[in-house]
Amino acid sequence: SPDHAVATDPLSVRSMEVVRGPATLLYGPNTVGGVVNVIDDRIPEKPITGIDGSFDSRYGSADQLQSFAGAVNFGAGPLVFHLDAFTRETNDIDIPGYARSKQLRDADPSPDEAYGTLPNSFTESSGAAMGGSYIWEKGFIGVSYSGMDSLYGTVAEEEVTINLEQRRFDLRGAVREPLAWIQEINFKFGYSDYQHTEFEGAEVGTKFLTDGFNARSELKHEKIKGFEGAIGLEIQRNDFSALGAEAFLPPVENATNSLFIFEEIALNPFTLQLGARYDDQSSETATLDRDFNAFSTSVGVVYNPTEDYAVALSLGYSQRPPTYVELFADGPHVATNTFEVGDAGLGKEDSLAMDLSLRKKTGRITGSVSGFYYRFNDFVSLQNSGNVDPADSLPIYNYQAIGADFYGGEIETILHLLSPAEAVSDQKSRDQRLDLILRADYVHAEDRDSGEPIPRIPPFRASIGLDYQLEKFGANFQTQWAANQDRNSEDELPTDAYVLVSLGFDYKLTLGEVETTFFLKGINLLDQDARQSTSFLKDVAPVAGRGLIVGMSGNF
């Protein structure tokens, strides 16, 4: 749900990768635009001797943020262990003006308008994890157990708070080169027990419970007639229930069984990529059972005219079964201020996708430019019906299937104004770097039959930034401009343009084997009333106003 916190902590993340093209089918049928893969160290995969770790502490003025986090890895011989923990608190967010947008105030005047502070936007979160692995020359196996608790307010209703709890167990391992034709077999199993309770004042309103597991195994093979890649199996089970007067979903049992394959072959200067996926999905309630069989496939080609340039083209066809929310929702969803109605008769969402990109990797100018076109049949969209539920006085939103077209593009250009590799004279020049970073992106989405805009689409955005490094000192500056979003669906209010300016400084200090970075960052320095057109709550919740974040992070 868009109003609920993500049950993970960004400070525990080791790295992130973006996957696009045919390889996205390794992860699911709903990956038309790509996949963001988050990787952590909770199950170590490499041996270490002794101890290493990281820490982070920061304070923010716009929301009185106080955040502390730390992680440590230690081991000897084949055994490696991991521990991490974090805590984070914020008060209600400072905002530059009214909480409600001008458009909403004009349409629905109120004598009592929140100003300067966003009511009920506080958060209190904490979590910890422990894990360990046994590692040998050609593989590893490990387990981890983690927990997260979070209490936070919902800005749609000043009296509603959410108490979230998640407990998770993970098993992961890999065996390399068990046979001559097998490069690696890896496997993962994760079990999650999640619940959150919506409180209305001190009274329990609705409790949402989800528990289930995900099991996955991949076999990566050596080259077979030039082809190399992976085949795999994934199994998911999920039981959902909602308890309380405002439960807008019935209890649902979900099951998905999937097979996938990804192959590529180098035909210099071309690389051909192929991907396919089959999903068998069922969603079962006490009175209704919906089953879907979905097939997706994609083909891509990467052309390298020179070592510095790459041109990538991918074409894909995918089928996505509807989620249980899209099928069975029927009731008030207080945290988004809507009354949601699903459609149990929804079929599979079909799409054709084309992505084209050009990347330049080295030289004075680097970056990428890309464009996309996605054509959907039975695109599932949550649309305002124009009616109001009489019991809850909430606007009724219906999940419905439409034909939809999405197209757009993005560009990133980095001008390396001063590069260490080009310095030839003195030591200071060799330790300096200055980059000018230009970015822009645009999405156009519409109902193919009526020509009406799809709701909650971002506007055209552009940014300019400078990133400077002199030995241990760094500075960065960024200005992002977002245009007016006046291509709105019926009953959706337009979103004003805004400019967000940020400025940051950092300094690295090394003491022994501990490298510490001290940082200071100013956000929304122009104190703009900025609202995200992609949010259900944009007209009641702007982004934070002008603020400073100061802190320190380190590695040892």
Side-chain angles (χ1 to χ4, degrees):
S1 176
D3 60 293
H4 297 150
V6 177
T8 190
D9 174 54
L11 298 177
S12 68
V13 174
R14 169 167 55 94
S15 62
M16 299 178 70
E17 61 182 10
V18 177
V19 182
R20 304 184 76 167
T24 61
L25 294 180
L26 295 171
Y27 302 100
N30 56 344
T31 56
V32 176
V35 176
V36 178
N37 190 22
V38 179
I39 302 168
D40 60 42
D41 280 326
R42 288 177 169 172
I43 298 179
E45 299 182 13
K46 297 180 180 179
I48 66 170
T49 300
I51 184 171
D52 65 37
S54 60
F55 59 87
D56 184 282
S57 176
R58 59 187 66 196
Y59 171 80
S61 66
D63 54 4
Q64 289 74 56
L65 164 70
Q66 297 182 62
S67 174
F68 306 93
V72 63
N73 302 291
F74 56 94
L79 296 176
V80 181
F81 300 96
H82 170 91
L83 298 171
D84 71 61
F86 78 94
T87 179
R88 180 185 296 107
E89 292 186 10
T90 69
N91 291 339
D92 288 346
I93 298 171
D94 293 337
I95 55 177
Y98 290 102
R100 298 204 307 163
S101 67
K102 182 180 185 303
Q103 291 87 342
L104 185 57
R105 298 198 310 271
D106 291 344
D108 182 22
S110 171
D112 184 19
E113 294 282 359
Y115 185 91
T117 302
L118 183 58
N120 205 30
S121 56
F122 75 94
T123 64
E124 299 175 7
S125 300
S126 62
M130 58 182 179
S133 295
Y134 179 81
I135 302 171
W136 63 95
E137 182 181 357
K138 291 191 175 183
F140 76 95
I141 185 169
V143 297
S144 71
Y145 181 76
S146 61
M148 177 179 179
D149 296 336
S150 184
L151 175 67
Y152 56 96
T154 66
V155 296
E157 296 284 337
E158 293 188 22
E159 299 299 321
V160 176
T161 59
I162 293 178
N163 188 17
L164 176 157
E165 296 180 5
Q166 186 203 51
R167 300 295 181 264
R168 183 177 177 89
F169 169 81
D170 285 280
L171 167 72
R172 189 163 70 238
V175 179
R176 291 180 284 274
E177 301 176 353
L179 297 173
W181 61 277
I182 298 178
Q183 186 181 110
E184 179 180 283
I185 298 175
N186 62 62
F187 52 90
K188 303 176 182 179
F189 175 87
Y191 172 79
S192 177
D193 184 358
Y194 169 94
Q195 67 177 28
H196 79 254
T197 304
E198 294 183 356
F199 290 88
E200 299 177 14
E203 300 294 325
V204 174
T206 307
K207 179 176 288 189
F208 296 87
L209 308 170
T210 304
D211 66 87
F213 71 86
N214 176 289
R216 176 187 180 94
S217 180
E218 291 181 21
L219 185 153
K220 299 179 181 178
H221 63 79
E222 298 289 354
K223 287 186 179 180
I224 301 175
K225 295 186 177 181
F227 283 92
E228 57 182 338
I231 58 175
L233 167 69
E234 186 171 15
I235 300 172
Q236 299 181 67
R237 298 292 184 269
N238 187 341
D239 292 337
F240 169 87
S241 60
L243 310 173
E246 295 183 345
F248 69 103
L249 284 163
V252 186
E253 294 182 2
N254 301 277
T256 304
N257 302 308
S258 307
L259 295 171
F260 54 85
I261 183 171
F262 172 76
E263 298 289 336
E264 66 178 10
I265 183 171
L267 304 169
N268 292 326
F270 296 93
T271 300
L272 179 64
Q273 300 176 332
L274 304 166
R277 185 180 183 95
Y278 170 77
D279 295 278
D280 173 49
Q281 176 180 303
S282 67
S283 297
E284 183 179 351
T285 71
T287 58
L288 188 62
D289 185 5
R290 290 298 315 275
D291 295 304
F292 300 91
N293 294 296
F295 177 75
S296 303
T297 186
S298 180
V299 60
V301 60
V302 180
Y303 171 53
N304 295 101
T306 68
E307 185 178 347
D308 295 340
Y309 288 87
V311 180
L313 171 67
S314 66
L315 302 172
Y317 170 76
S318 66
Q319 295 180 322
R320 182 186 72 86
T323 68
Y324 63 87
V325 177
E326 294 165 341
L327 290 170
F328 305 126
D330 186 16
H333 194 174
V334 177
T336 55
N337 240 1
T338 59
F339 190 101
E340 296 184 11
V341 179
D343 182 355
L346 287 173
K348 292 176 290 190
E349 179 183 273
D350 293 352
S351 66
L352 292 171
M354 180 180 71
D355 288 90
L356 178 64
S357 65
L358 169 66
R359 299 187 292 270
K360 186 174 185 291
K361 304 174 185 178
T362 61
R364 173 73 70 176
I365 300 176
T366 60
S368 64
V369 58
S370 64
F372 64 87
Y373 171 68
Y374 305 147
R375 180 181 178 88
F376 290 89
N377 293 319
D378 295 325
F379 175 76
V380 180
S381 178
L382 187 58
Q383 301 270 1
N384 192 332
S385 69
N387 299 318
V388 176
D389 177 66
D392 297 280
S393 299
L394 294 174
I396 298 175
Y397 279 69
N398 295 325
Y399 286 100
Q400 55 191 41
I402 61 175
D405 288 335
F406 286 67
Y407 62 83
E410 57 189 30
I411 184 171
E412 178 183 64
T413 301
I414 304 175
L415 284 74
H416 303 278
L417 304 177
L418 180 60
S419 172
E422 297 171 344
V424 294
S425 56
D426 58 273
Q427 180 65 35
K428 285 189 176 180
S429 294
R430 286 194 293 271
D431 288 340
Q432 288 189 84
R433 176 178 57 81
L434 178 61
D435 294 334
L436 175 64
I437 306 168
L438 307 173
R439 295 188 179 98
D441 62 81
Y442 175 71
V443 179
H444 180 100
E446 66 181 22
D447 184 322
R448 190 165 56 249
D449 297 325
S450 68
E452 291 295 315
I454 301 294
R456 297 174 297 283
I457 298 298
F460 174 78
R461 299 177 297 183
S463 69
I464 180 170
L466 281 169
D467 191 0
Y468 177 68
Q469 191 74 39
L470 173 60
E471 296 182 325
K472 298 180 179 181
F473 171 78
N476 59 80
F477 169 82
Q478 179 173 293
T479 297
Q480 183 192 70
W481 172 72
N484 293 315
Q485 181 52 289
D486 51 12
R487 296 196 73 256
N488 310 296
S489 65
E490 189 176 357
D491 299 312
E492 184 182 21
L493 296 174
T495 309
D496 290 338
Y498 60 82
V499 177
L500 296 179
V501 177
S502 64
L503 177 64
F505 302 94
D506 63 78
Y507 183 80
K508 292 182 172 62
L509 179 65
T510 302
L511 297 174
E513 297 184 355
V514 180
E515 183 180 84
T516 303
T517 300
F518 299 89
F519 56 87
L520 173 68
K521 183 176 183 178
I523 60 173
N524 195 2
L525 295 178
L526 301 182
D527 209 27
Q528 290 271 289
D529 181 5
R531 299 173 187 270
Q532 306 291 342
S533 61
T534 55
S535 171
F536 276 94
L537 305 177
K538 69 180 181 68
D539 288 301
V540 298
V543 304
R546 183 187 296 119
L548 291 175
I549 299 175
V550 60
M552 59 184 289
S553 62
N555 297 281
F556 58 88

